[in-house]
């Protein structure tokens, strides 16, 4: 018999999240393997806060990505450097979400365009080759088109995983199946059927676990996908072909107090041909200033909201909308206990107790190799 506690729910078996007014710093790492040999990797830090917008469950995330490192170095190639410098127009980025946690829209597109206008001239003066101008023109078209910029963000692994549809109902012992398009080959996505399940018990450190697992259902071959063909051409032409074979596993570990991510770990294995397999590993971990960090719980506010709703009906008029009161009301700061006055060092609370001695890259690498609890 387990000593762990069962997950509690605010409403039926619906997982919901609250906002957080403090800025949370995460470490992100992407690794690409061929037959278990590391080919390249990307890592960076990213800062996030989440504030209510207009209604009780309506949130805006502010995201600020820091310096990108490719294979532990700042971008070296021309295109990499230009993309890195151009991204300074995009961040800080504000994103509104749907109730299930997926990305709804960019909220500060005008700010992004204005920032781009102020830096594009500098980029044009510094990168003045024909190739550079072509890249800048493509970036400008993307930035000016809000819808295309939103689509582009969804092809980035951080946004793809952080804004996943995890805030849904989880019927007891019933997986939630849904279709998922993932950017396995950059701009070329692959179709999957995923089953998403909620673990019934908290972890020993009071985290909520959601697991997603599935296989590709795409009928195209690897060659068709890489060539940008959006339909199963060979199948429709009755030609011999081998549909892409790929498997995906994702684990979301959420704080119980506000149901926001502590970590997200993903692994994707894709059979490229008979001789080699492509493996992609992504890790995102909350980096805390103190090992005793605990998010501020919104349990009391939710309880008050639920009690209020019991007394109102659709016919009542003049109802006070508590969401309008709460949206500008900042909660107390999160409970953080400072043990001493030594300089702040970052470490990760549960997976790696001695992380204060490691660089961000080494911490993320250790976490990806360590067995999940």
């Amino acid at each position: 018999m387990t000593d762990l506690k069962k997950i509690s729910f605010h409403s039926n078996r619906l997982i919901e999240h609250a906002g957080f007014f403090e800025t949370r710093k995460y470490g992100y790492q992407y690794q690409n393997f061929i037959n278990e040999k590391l080919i390249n990797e990307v890592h960076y830090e990213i800062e996030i806060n989440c504030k209510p917008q207009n209604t009780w469950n309506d949130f805006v995330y502010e995201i600020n990505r820091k310096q990108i490192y490719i294979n532990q170095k700042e971008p070296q190639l021309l295109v990499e450097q230009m993309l890195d410098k151009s991204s300074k127009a995009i961040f800080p980025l504000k994103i509104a979400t749907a109730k299930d946690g997926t990305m709804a829209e960019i909220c500060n597109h005008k700010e992004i365009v204005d920032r781009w206008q102020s830096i594009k001239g500098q980029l044009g003066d510094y990168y003045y080759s024909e190739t550079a101008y072509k890249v800048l023109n493509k970036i400008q078209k993307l930035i000016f088109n809000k819808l295309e910029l939103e689509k582009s963000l969804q092809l980035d692994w951080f946004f793809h995983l952080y804004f996943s549809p995890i805030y849904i109902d989880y019927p007891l012992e019933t997986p939630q199946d849904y279709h998922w398009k993932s950017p396995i080959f950059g701009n070329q996505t692959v179709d999957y059927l995923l089953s998403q399940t909620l673990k019934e018990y908290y972890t020993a450190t009071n985290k909520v676990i959601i697991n997603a697992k599935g296989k590709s259902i795409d009928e195209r071959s690897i060659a068709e996908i890489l060539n940008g063909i959006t339909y199963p051409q060979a199948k429709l032409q009755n030609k011999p072909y081998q549909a892409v074979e790929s498997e995906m596993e994702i684990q979301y570990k959420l704080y119980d107090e506000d149901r926001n991510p502590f970590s997200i770990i993903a692994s994707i294995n894709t059979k490229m041909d008979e001789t080699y397999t492509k493996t992609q590993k992504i890790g995102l971990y909350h980096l805390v200033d103190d090992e005793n960090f605990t998010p501020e719980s919104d349990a009391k506010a939710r309880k008050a909201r639920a009690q209020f709703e019991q007394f109102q009906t659709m016919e009542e008029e003049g109802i006070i909308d508590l969401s309008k009161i709460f949206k500008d009301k900042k909660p107390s700061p999160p409970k953080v206990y400072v043990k001493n006055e030594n300089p702040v060092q970052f470490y990760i609370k549960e997976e790696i107790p001695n992380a204060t001695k490691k660089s961000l890259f080494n911490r993320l690498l250790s976490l990806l190799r360590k067995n999940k609890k």
Side-chain angles (χ1 to χ4, degrees), residues 150-351:
E150 290 168 350
K151 291 178 183 178
S152 177
L153 289 175
Q154 291 169 347
L155 296 176
D156 176 277
W157 275 111
F158 164 77
F159 293 96
H160 188 66
L161 292 173
Y162 194 89
F163 297 104
S164 299
I166 60 173
Y167 298 108
I168 58 175
D169 283 298
Y170 290 91
L172 185 63
E173 299 179 354
T174 305
Q176 298 300 288
D177 295 336
Y178 60 95
H179 292 274
W180 176 285
K181 290 180 178 289
S182 282
I184 306 303
F185 301 108
N187 291 334
Q188 307 303 325
T189 60
V190 174
D191 294 343
Y192 292 82
L193 179 62
L194 292 186
S195 291
Q196 196 161 281
T197 57
L198 173 73
K199 281 200 170 183
E200 289 299 309
Y201 294 88
Y202 293 109
T203 68
T205 52
N206 214 37
K207 301 294 190 300
V208 176
I209 301 292
I210 297 172
N211 291 317
K213 185 176 182 179
K215 296 182 178 181
S216 58
I217 56 172
D218 207 304
E219 296 183 318
R220 294 171 297 165
S221 67
I222 289 285
E224 288 172 338
I225 295 170
L226 293 176
N227 288 325
I229 298 173
T230 58
Y231 62 96
Q233 186 180 67
K235 178 182 179 181
L236 294 176
Q237 295 176 351
N238 292 319
K239 293 181 179 180
Y241 76 102
Q242 176 64 52
V244 59
E245 297 179 18
S246 184
E247 296 183 354
M248 176 185 296
E249 291 188 21
I250 311 170
Q251 183 187 82
Y252 305 89
K253 187 176 290 189
L254 313 178
Y255 286 111
D256 173 52
E257 291 81 4
D258 61 13
R259 305 292 165 92
N260 283 292
F262 166 76
S263 67
I264 303 174
I265 302 170
S267 179
I268 306 96
N269 293 297
T270 306
K271 182 179 178 182
M272 301 300 292
D273 60 27
E274 297 301 325
T275 62
Y276 77 96
T277 299
K278 176 185 177 73
T279 300
Q280 294 160 289
K281 295 182 179 180
I282 302 99
L284 183 76
Y285 300 89
H286 183 200
L287 307 174
V288 294
D289 296 348
D290 187 274
E291 63 179 344
N292 295 310
F293 172 84
T294 302
E296 186 74 15
S297 174
D298 70 335
K300 291 183 179 179
R302 286 183 180 276
K303 184 177 180 181
R305 174 72 176 185
Q307 291 175 339
F308 175 81
E309 289 178 342
Q310 288 178 356
F311 293 98
Q312 72 179 49
T313 65
M314 294 297 292
E315 292 76 25
E316 288 177 346
E317 297 180 357
I319 296 298
I320 298 174
D321 187 354
L322 292 185
S323 66
K324 294 181 179 178
I325 299 176
F326 292 150
K327 76 169 185 176
D328 295 321
K329 182 176 178 61
K330 295 186 177 181
S332 303
K335 300 176 183 178
V336 177
Y337 304 96
V338 180
K339 296 182 178 179
N340 52 54
E341 297 181 353
N342 292 334
V344 173
Q345 295 178 322
F346 295 109
Y347 54 92
I348 295 172
K349 180 176 178 181
E350 58 186 282
E351 275 83 358

Side-chain angles (χ1 to χ4, degrees), residues 35-182:
N35 289 345
E36 300 184 355
K37 179 182 179 181
L38 179 63
I39 303 302
N40 51 56
E41 67 91 25
V42 174
H43 77 275
Y44 54 78
E45 289 185 356
I46 193 161
E47 295 178 345
I48 306 173
N49 64 51
C50 173
K51 299 178 181 179
Q53 186 173 221
N54 299 314
T55 59
W56 181 255
N57 286 321
D58 190 9
F59 298 96
V60 171
Y61 288 80
E62 182 169 326
I63 300 165
N64 195 11
R65 192 179 70 191
K66 301 304 182 179
Q67 178 63 53
I68 285 182
Y69 295 91
I70 301 173
N71 298 326
Q72 305 184 52
K73 297 179 181 179
E74 292 188 14
Q76 303 292 307
L77 301 178
L78 172 65
V79 174
E80 293 174 349
Q81 290 179 0
M82 294 180 67
L83 292 174
D84 181 45
K85 294 181 185 299
S86 297
S87 70
K88 290 175 173 55
I90 298 175
F91 298 98
L93 174 68
K94 293 182 180 179
I95 291 177
T97 55
K99 288 186 178 181
D100 64 358
T102 54
M103 188 187 306
E105 68 168 337
I106 295 173
C107 298
N108 63 332
H109 184 248
K110 184 179 183 303
E111 293 176 13
I112 293 171
V113 172
D114 290 344
R115 285 196 292 262
W116 171 252
Q117 298 284 25
S118 68
I119 69 172
K120 69 174 183 179
Q122 301 172 15
L123 292 173
D125 292 339
Y126 189 80
Y127 301 103
Y128 48 82
S129 69
E130 182 179 352
T131 299
Y133 285 133
K134 288 181 179 179
V135 172
L136 288 176
N137 284 334
K138 287 183 179 180
I139 294 172
Q140 177 161 284
K141 288 180 180 178
L142 183 64
I143 287 178
F144 283 176
N145 190 321
K146 180 183 175 183
L147 292 178
E148 290 302 316
L149 182 58
E150 290 168 350
K151 291 178 183 178
S152 177
L153 289 175
Q154 291 169 347
L155 296 176
D156 176 277
W157 275 111
F158 164 77
F159 293 96
H160 188 66
L161 292 173
Y162 194 89
F163 297 104
S164 299
I166 60 173
Y167 298 108
I168 58 175
D169 283 298
Y170 290 91
L172 185 63
E173 299 179 354
T174 305
Q176 298 300 288
D177 295 336
Y178 60 95
H179 292 274
W180 176 285
K181 290 180 178 289
S182 282

